[in-house]
Amino acid sequence: MHKSVCFLILVFCFYVADAQENKIQKAIELGVYDGIKEPTKHEETEFYTPVPPVVNPVGQNGVPSDAIVLFDGTNLDAWENNDGSKPTWKINSEDKSTTIDRGPENKRANIKTKQKFGSVQLHVEWKAPEKIKGKGQSRGNSGVFLQERYEVQILDNNNNDVYVNGQVGSIYKQSIPLANASVPTGEWNTYDIIFHAPIYKGKKKIKAGTITVLHNGVLVQDHFIIKGATSYIGWPKDKPHGKASIKLQDHNSPVSFRNIWVRELD
Ligand code: MG
């Protein structure tokens, strides 16, 4: 047989095998096997693409190599006030943290990332003031707002009962946490948040947003389906929006933060 004919047959065989493999892979991904012959060889259910990227989990001074570092203790360059001005929060070089501070003008000092995000994995460490001041929602209150509207509550809840849908780890006034996993007041807590942003087409929501939260490694929100923006009064408001900032709340408590990083999921 002519060499070129052999080559074409070989290419065709590879193509057929590849198409069959793709079909089986797709069927398993979807969990739909109708009309596809069940594989009888182990190789038929072993796939080699897509190859996951390599991520060094501690590649950037202990932070995953593909993460965007939002605060590492040196500066707040990734952040701004609501009006676009520079944050007034204090930086504590000793423990590489920053503490909510209203500055000389004593203006409310929520800060938000300059960068807008969609779905993310977010790591935040926070600490309520060691010296207990106030009670209820006034004690060590802050919050991580995803896309500027969905609050994962931060609160010093140790010996401090509040309404449970507003306690630490709640999705404020929408979802009671599965546990209160706080460390003693004045010690560092971690939040690891997996947020899938809602998707809108025009005015219609075509995919709901979800939030999963690990508080000090303990699951406190398990793929909660967001109902709308978290609000203090009234129903959650579900209005279409696109990418938006991550916001940290100033609730008039000097809560501190450190080691904030994010991995984009879309
Ligand atoms: Mg709050």
Side-chain angles (χ1 to χ4, degrees):
M1 202 185 294
H2 197 276
K3 265 185 183 169
S4 59
V5 175
C6 284
F7 176 72
L8 283 174
I9 290 171
L10 204 63
V11 168
F12 179 73
C13 288
F14 275 123
Y15 173 76
V16 170
D18 197 41
Q20 183 60 16
E21 183 183 304
N22 283 345
K23 229 193 236 180
I24 293 170
Q25 187 169 356
K26 199 87 204 153
I28 292 176
E29 266 172 33
L30 299 171
V32 178
Y33 316 115
D34 296 347
I36 301 170
K37 192 171 160 282
E38 183 169 5
T40 53
K41 298 178 193 152
H42 67 87
E43 313 88 87
E44 290 177 285
T45 48
E46 293 162 8
F47 313 121
Y48 293 89
T49 58
V51 179
V54 173
V55 175
N56 179 343
V58 290
Q60 297 186 72
N61 296 322
V63 170
S65 53
D66 65 345
I68 298 165
V69 176
L70 295 174
F71 179 67
D72 65 0
T74 52
N75 62 65
L76 285 163
D77 289 356
W79 302 82
E80 62 188 8
N81 292 325
N82 276 343
D83 63 4
S85 59
K86 218 174 155 199
T88 48
W89 293 21
K90 273 189 198 140
I91 298 208
N92 322 298
S93 50
E94 228 167 73
D95 65 355
K96 294 185 168 179
S97 71
T98 180
T99 302
I100 298 172
D101 191 294
R102 293 190 166 184
E105 290 178 39
N106 196 27
K107 278 204 299 199
R108 188 155 194 200
N110 296 323
I111 62 169
K112 60 180 187 173
T113 56
K114 291 176 185 168
Q115 189 171 341
K116 317 271 186 216
F117 295 98
S119 300
V120 293
Q121 172 186 350
L122 174 65
H123 177 88
V124 177
E125 296 175 25
W126 61 269
K127 182 173 79 165
E130 197 175 344
K131 198 171 171 199
I132 293 170
K133 203 178 152 197
K135 59 178 185 173
Q137 292 285 340
S138 301
R139 183 189 297 175
N141 190 334
S142 181
V144 178
F145 280 73
L146 300 151
Q147 294 193 320
E148 300 173 54
R149 38 177 73 70
Y150 310 118
E151 183 184 12
V152 179
Q153 173 72 307
I154 286 176
L155 196 74
D156 176 10
N157 254 133
N158 295 319
N159 301 312
N160 183 29
D161 292 338
V162 292
Y163 44 94
V164 292
N165 58 344
Q167 75 169 64
V168 66
S170 64
I171 307 304
Y172 189 72
K173 289 197 172 172
Q174 283 183 42
S175 178
I176 300 164
L178 299 168
N180 177 350
S182 300
V183 293
T185 303
E187 293 186 14
W188 286 100
N189 288 268
T190 63
Y191 271 171
D192 287 287
I193 299 171
I194 314 296
F195 168 64
H196 287 282
I199 298 171
Y200 297 88
K201 198 172 180 184
K203 288 185 175 172
K204 203 174 168 218
K205 183 157 69 180
I206 54 170
K207 198 172 178 197
T210 61
I211 303 179
T212 296
V213 181
L214 297 168
H215 181 190
N216 296 319
V218 174
L219 183 68
V220 295
Q221 295 291 341
D222 186 6
H223 207 66
F224 170 69
I225 295 172
I226 300 162
K227 306 298 186 283
T230 50
S231 45
Y232 182 41
I233 299 170
W235 304 125
K237 304 290 184 302
D238 189 12
K239 289 187 187 153
H241 64 86
K243 287 187 172 186
S245 303
I246 293 162
K247 187 173 91 177
L248 300 177
Q249 183 189 42
D250 165 18
H251 199 283
N252 210 15
S253 296
V255 173
S256 302
F257 292 85
R258 71 176 185 189
N259 198 19
I260 308 174
W261 52 262
V262 68
R263 296 180 63 242
E264 293 184 291
L265 302 179
D266 53 14

